[in-house]
Amino acid sequence: MSWGRYFMRIRDWINKGVVIGLLASIFLCVIGSAAGAFLMDREYLATDSEGIWMSVIWLLAAFFGCRIALRGVRGQLLLHGTVQATVLYFLVWCVALAVSAVPIFRVNGWYFTGCIFGGSILASVIPAGKRRRKKWAGAKTKRHKKDRQ
C-alpha cells in the first residue's frame, strides 16, 4: 500500500504558479513599502500608522499573489492557498531576521500573520470570475466574405 496517494508531492505544493505568485507578492510589497515611505516623507501618512499600512499592503500582496498562484489549479484551492501563505510567511520572517526587523514584528507581528494568511485564504475561498471568451477574428472575416458575394 502506497502512502503517497494520500499526501501531496512537493512538486504539487511548490510549482511554477507558486513561485510566480510569491514573486508577485514580494513585488507588490516592495511597491507598497516604497509608496508608504513616500507618503510618510510627505507627511500624508503618520508614523503611528506604519504598521497598519504594512498590514494592508501584506493583505493585498498575499491576496493577489495567491490569486496568481491559483490560476489553473483545480480542486484543493484552500490547501494550495495555505501552502502559498506558509511559504510567503517563511520568506517574510527570513527577510525580517536578515535585516534585524524583529522589534517591528513584536509590535505588529500578529497583524502581519493574520493579513498574510487571511489574504491567501480569501483568495482561495472567493471564486474566480468567469472568463469571457474572445471572439475569433476569423469568424468576422468569413461572414464579411459571404456578405460580399
Side-chain angles (χ1 to χ4, degrees), residues 63 67 70-72 77 123 125-133:
F63 179 80
R67 264 299 192 205
L70 291 177
R71 282 191 291 174
L77 293 178
V125 172
I126 295 175
K130 293 182 179 179
R131 294 184 183 219
R132 295 183 183 178
R133 293 175 51 183

Side-chain angles (χ1 to χ4, degrees), residues 42-93:
R42 298 285 181 186
E43 297 179 357
Y44 291 126
L45 184 64
T47 307
D48 299 337
S49 61
E50 175 190 2
I52 296 170
W53 174 266
M54 285 310 297
S55 297
V56 171
I57 293 299
W58 275 115
L59 178 78
L60 293 175
F63 179 80
F64 287 115
C66 191
R67 264 299 192 205
I68 291 170
L70 291 177
R71 282 191 291 174
V73 173
R74 295 179 189 229
Q76 298 181 348
L77 293 178
L78 192 58
L79 180 62
H80 282 283
T82 307
V83 168
Q84 171 84 11
T86 305
V87 174
L88 180 63
Y89 190 68
F90 177 73
L91 287 175
V92 168
W93 263 104

